[in-house]
Amino acid sequence: SEYLDVLEKQSTKLKKLTEDVLEASKAVSGAVDVHLEPIDAVELLEQLVGEHADRMAAAGIEPVLNKSCESTLILADSTLLGRVLENLIVNITKYAQRDTRAYFDLTETQDAVYITMKNTSREPLNIPAEELLERFVRGDSSRHSEGSGLGLSIANSFTELMGGKLQLTLDGDLFKAELTFPRAASDTAEDCPKS
């Protein structure tokens, strides 16, 4: 039964890796249907943080959501943006230091919306930030038990396909991912400060 358990776990990992490789290939080649439309970034971020709250709690991570508005429309593809945000949240859940907070900040200017995620890494990040966006790259030698090293690469490719930008910053043990998207032309919210 132990061998069967090992085989089942390994086959599950292989299936996930195959799906990730296929998705990464489509993202890099641009063979993905992109349907840009106004999306409420606040609502989507709140929804995904809520969906992953139990998993973060189990990993000893307290999510802190800061938003400058109750509603902010960006121009993006809802399916692709959901995958991008989910990849970044799962990354935090897997690699953040226990008993710390993960910050999810949403700010905006007249033309753009910024979604920033910050957490303290469990292990030293011994790699340049830009290399983390490459395929099959992980941030430290301890990351061998799960994950394919494709999550950030897929997130970056999907973001670019939507006309957005993903920038990573490493400062000691601080890991920061910032997404930038154009505001939707139909966003007429007046209760939000814009700089």
Side-chain angles (χ1 to χ4, degrees):
S1 66
E2 289 179 20
Y3 290 132
L4 288 175
D5 287 344
V6 170
L7 284 173
E8 184 178 356
K9 287 178 184 175
Q10 293 301 324
S11 64
T12 301
K13 284 183 181 179
L14 184 59
K15 180 176 181 284
K16 180 68 168 70
L17 176 60
T18 303
E19 290 170 351
D20 285 350
V21 168
L22 181 61
E23 189 166 31
S25 298
K26 287 181 179 179
V28 170
S29 68
V32 176
D33 290 332
V34 180
H35 304 286
L36 298 179
E37 60 183 344
I39 295 171
D40 189 334
V42 176
E43 181 180 312
L44 184 58
L45 183 61
E46 287 178 333
Q47 175 188 332
L48 288 170
V49 169
E51 287 176 5
H52 289 269
D54 289 345
R55 190 171 176 179
M56 283 191 275
I61 302 160
E62 178 189 348
V64 178
L65 182 60
N66 299 306
K67 55 190 179 180
S68 58
C69 302
E70 291 303 314
S71 177
T72 301
L73 297 181
I74 63 174
L75 195 61
D77 180 296
S78 60
T79 301
L80 297 183
L81 181 58
R83 179 63 197 268
V84 168
L85 295 175
E86 186 167 27
N87 280 11
L88 293 171
I89 293 170
V90 167
N91 193 65
I92 289 172
T93 305
K94 286 181 181 177
Y95 303 124
Q97 175 68 39
R98 283 193 70 86
D99 301 320
T100 59
R101 296 179 186 89
Y103 292 89
F104 302 88
D105 302 327
L106 196 147
T107 57
E108 57 193 307
T109 64
Q110 194 66 36
D111 301 314
V113 174
Y114 304 90
I115 301 171
T116 307
M117 301 184 189
K118 297 177 284 190
N119 67 275
T120 303
S121 177
R122 184 170 59 241
E123 300 291 338
L125 295 166
N126 50 12
I127 187 172
E130 59 273 9
E131 286 187 30
L132 284 173
L133 296 177
E134 297 176 9
R135 285 174 286 176
F136 302 108
V137 172
R138 301 187 212 182
D140 60 74
S141 58
S142 72
R143 296 182 179 189
H144 54 74
S145 59
E146 58 180 314
S148 61
L150 287 169
L152 292 176
S153 175
I154 291 170
N156 186 48
S157 296
F158 282 174
T159 301
E160 289 178 348
L161 285 173
M162 290 183 284
K165 181 181 178 184
L166 170 59
Q167 181 174 355
L168 303 183
T169 305
L170 307 179
D171 185 0
D173 292 334
L174 175 67
F175 177 89
K176 175 181 171 183
E178 183 178 71
L179 292 162
T180 306
F181 283 96
R183 294 177 63 88
S186 59
D187 191 357
T188 57
E190 298 178 357
D191 58 337
C192 301
K194 301 173 183 68
S195 53

